Amino acid sequence: MTPTEFGPTGIKCPTRTRFSRALGLAALVGIAWLALFGLVLSPDDRVQREGVRILYVHVPSAWLAYLAFVVTGLASAAYLFPKTRSLTWDRIAGASAEVGVLFMGITLVSGSLWGHISWGTYWTWDSRLTTTAFLFVTYIGYLAVRGLGGSQQQRARRSAVVALLALLEVPLVHFSVKWWRPLHQGESVAEKELEGLMLFSLFVGIIAFTLLYVWLVLHRQRVLAMEDSLADRGLDTALAERRQEALPR
Amino acid sequence: MNTLHIARLVAAKDLRIEWRSRVVTNQVLPFAALVMVMFAFALDNDTVLPRVAPGLVWLAAMFSLLVLVQRTFAVETADGALDALRVAGVGPAGIFLGKSLALAVQLTVLEVMLLGAAVVLYRTELVAGGVVLLVTTYLAATLGLAFVGTLYGGLAAGAKGRETLLPLLLLPVVAPVLIGATRATEAALGTNDATPSEGWPWIGLLALFAVIFGAGGSLAFGSLIDE
């Protein structure tokens, strides 16, 4: 058993590669840059004052969460398609959903805080907010389905089907909520008046968060692959031990 | 045997089991009635109750759906009957449609009782002009609920901790039905001065929901229940 079997670069730091380290550094630099721009360099908003700074986290994390769920859907479809069937797609789908749920949570919390400052309320029954909340719960359910147990193939097929069903559900929820409350809040004030440095800071945020997303999914996917191979190896080892016991001494 | 024939046999089998075991009539229907009484306790206001009655009826139907779905798959998994069916070469689409049909029949009985309870307990009044809309709403919503219930029930069946997983998976999915059916029922009953013509767009949503999950379920059910 050589250490390299545990991951791309050996046992000490088993999910690291040169590429992912560079990516992680780039994401870190991007986030430091975002913090500098968002907290120090960018001006207060005329209407929202300091509250506008929440958006530098809120918008990129919302973008990231939606990106993550789209990737989960695509990877699930790739798993179900016979020619591209591979457990790697399943693990990418799972890793992406985990990151997506995390950032959707951040989106909801930061959005509520921002809403409290600019609308005077933590929550409104707006179609976009409600759809987002449903997405959050739906993908928590998806992660629960991944944890149901059974063989890896079973987990992969079951969760891929659930991910595709979730893609069917999201537009239905969105349109039903939209009809339910036709007078929903339009584009927010800040989004209309974004200009200059603010727009640039937001742009930096989106790039930094996208890099962070790729880095997180890459590592998480490798950890999941190790978990799977550990489960396989555990079974093989146990079988070999039982065989040894059965042999005549 | 073709799919529809299998579906008919599976549905007949499920309904026969329920008819003989009386679990639905002796446990699920009283539970649903109890939920309606509890709503009245919680809201505690004679003028609010008639206004929110359509929503409460459908909410009680959703809660009862969870119980019914668990029941319909407990029957299958207890003796490995679902696996036996698959091993015998019975098509999953037929099983899905059959179980959905049986579930839809049970749900219909339950919903009619819930509406009766709303008339008696919440002073809801049925309007003659809205009867067609009301019946269509019930048909479309019930089919949608039965398809989704069977689909996710099959997924959760046979897994450890399914009792807790099913509500988490099912309730977000049926949210559009809750919204659509409630609005359409309000329109049919004239609640809050709604008119029947306001209800028909919602029927479109309910029908779309039923078609999508009926088709999706027929295709996906096999991969969800295969062990």
Side-chain angles (χ1 to χ4, degrees):
Chain A
M1 201 184 293
T2 56
T4 48
E5 281 178 68
F6 284 99
T9 59
I11 197 164
K12 263 190 179 169
C13 199
T15 63
R16 185 185 69 192
T17 59
R18 192 170 298 214
F19 172 70
S20 67
R21 189 159 46 171
L23 197 66
L25 277 174
L28 210 59
V29 170
I31 287 166
W33 196 1
L34 175 69
L36 185 70
F37 268 97
L39 292 176
V40 183
L41 295 181
S42 82
D44 278 6
D45 186 70
R46 260 167 295 155
V47 188
Q48 304 171 27
R49 303 194 176 277
E50 298 281 357
V52 76
R53 301 186 194 281
I54 294 175
L55 291 183
Y56 299 128
V57 175
H58 177 71
V59 175
S61 51
W63 146 255
L64 193 157
Y66 278 98
L67 172 75
F69 294 150
V70 168
V71 170
T72 298
L74 290 177
S76 300
Y79 179 81
L80 287 178
F81 188 62
K83 278 189 182 165
T84 50
R85 176 156 303 176
S86 149
L87 279 176
T88 306
W89 287 120
D90 168 61
R91 292 191 280 258
I92 290 175
S96 186
E98 283 177 6
V99 177
V101 165
L102 173 70
F103 279 86
M104 195 110 270
I106 294 176
T107 308
L108 286 169
V109 171
S110 60
S112 305
L113 292 176
W114 182 82
H116 188 63
I117 294 171
S118 4
W119 300 336
T121 169
Y122 287 109
W123 188 263
T124 62
W125 291 100
D126 157 274
S127 67
R128 206 186 317 171
L129 264 69
T130 312
T131 308
T132 307
F134 269 97
L135 261 176
F136 185 60
V137 178
T138 302
Y139 280 88
I140 288 178
Y142 168 82
L143 291 180
V145 168
R146 291 190 67 85
L148 274 182
S151 74
Q152 286 158 21
Q153 281 73 20
Q154 216 174 318
R155 174 199 72 197
R157 196 178 38 188
R158 204 165 17 191
S159 51
V161 170
V162 171
L164 293 187
L165 287 174
L167 286 186
L168 284 183
E169 175 208 335
V170 170
L172 281 171
V173 169
H174 183 77
F175 286 116
S176 58
V177 176
K178 212 167 181 169
W179 281 358
W180 172 53
R181 286 285 165 98
L183 290 172
H184 68 280
Q185 178 98 20
E187 299 285 298
S188 64
V189 186
E191 283 172 58
K192 273 183 204 154
E193 293 181 356
L194 276 180
E195 52 194 26
L197 197 57
M198 281 175 143
L199 192 66
F200 181 68
S201 308
L202 213 52
F203 188 62
V204 169
I206 286 175
I207 290 181
F209 272 52
T210 308
L211 290 176
L212 179 69
Y213 164 77
V214 178
W215 186 80
L216 281 171
V217 169
L218 214 57
H219 278 258
R220 188 65 192 129
Q221 191 271 124
R222 287 172 189 160
V223 172
L224 287 174
M226 284 160 68
E227 274 175 11
D228 281 356
S229 73
L230 183 67
D232 286 345
R233 199 186 303 262
L235 187 64
D236 288 345
T237 317
L239 279 174
E241 277 171 5
R242 295 297 93 75
R243 276 202 198 99
Q244 281 297 316
E245 280 172 15
L247 286 176
R249 309 250 152 122
Chain B
M1 278 198 289
N2 65 24
T3 304
L4 287 182
H5 190 61
I6 295 171
R8 218 167 43 232
L9 288 176
V10 170
K13 170 211 70 140
D14 269 21
L15 291 174
R16 205 176 305 125
I17 291 175
E18 293 311 331
W19 182 252
R20 289 183 183 160
S21 70
R22 299 273 197 274
V23 169
V24 172
T25 45
N26 292 357
Q27 292 173 18
V28 184
L29 289 184
F31 164 74
L34 201 57
V35 171
M36 295 293 276
V37 175
M38 296 305 231
F39 281 150
F41 289 164
L43 294 174
D44 190 28
N45 188 323
D46 280 351
T47 53
V48 170
L49 274 176
R51 285 203 288 129
V52 296
L56 295 184
V57 165
W58 283 106
L59 202 54
M62 306 270 154
F63 290 146
S64 312
L65 172 74
L66 292 174
V67 182
L68 280 178
V69 168
Q70 242 142 33
R71 162 77 190 152
T72 188
F73 279 96
V75 172
E76 298 290 350
T77 48
D79 302 315
L82 205 56
D83 295 338
L85 274 178
R86 293 292 291 128
V87 172
V90 181
I95 302 178
F96 171 76
L97 291 175
K99 291 201 79 71
S100 302
L101 193 63
L103 191 60
V105 171
Q106 297 170 47
L107 264 176
T108 309
V109 173
L110 185 110
E111 287 162 356
V112 168
M113 189 217 71
L114 284 173
L115 193 65
V119 170
V120 175
L121 299 173
Y122 301 168
R123 301 176 195 177
T124 304
E125 283 169 17
L126 300 180
V127 189
V131 168
V132 180
L133 178 64
L134 193 66
V135 172
T136 320
T137 306
Y138 268 69
L139 276 179
T142 306
L143 268 183
L145 289 180
F147 284 140
V148 176
T150 310
L151 188 56
Y152 284 88
L155 168 71
K160 271 175 269 164
R162 61 175 171 236
E163 296 82 4
T164 45
L165 181 62
L166 187 66
L168 174 64
L169 291 177
L170 201 51
L171 288 179
V173 187
V174 296
V177 178
L178 180 62
I179 296 177
T182 304
R183 293 311 123 188
T185 309
E186 279 177 355
L189 297 177
T191 317
N192 303 328
D193 299 325
T195 55
S197 61
E198 290 170 33
W200 290 104
W202 291 107
I203 300 287
L205 177 79
L206 293 173
L208 181 71
F209 186 93
V211 168
I212 287 181
F213 279 97
S218 307
L219 289 174
F221 196 62
S223 5
L224 289 182
I225 57 168
D226 277 354
E227 293 296 321

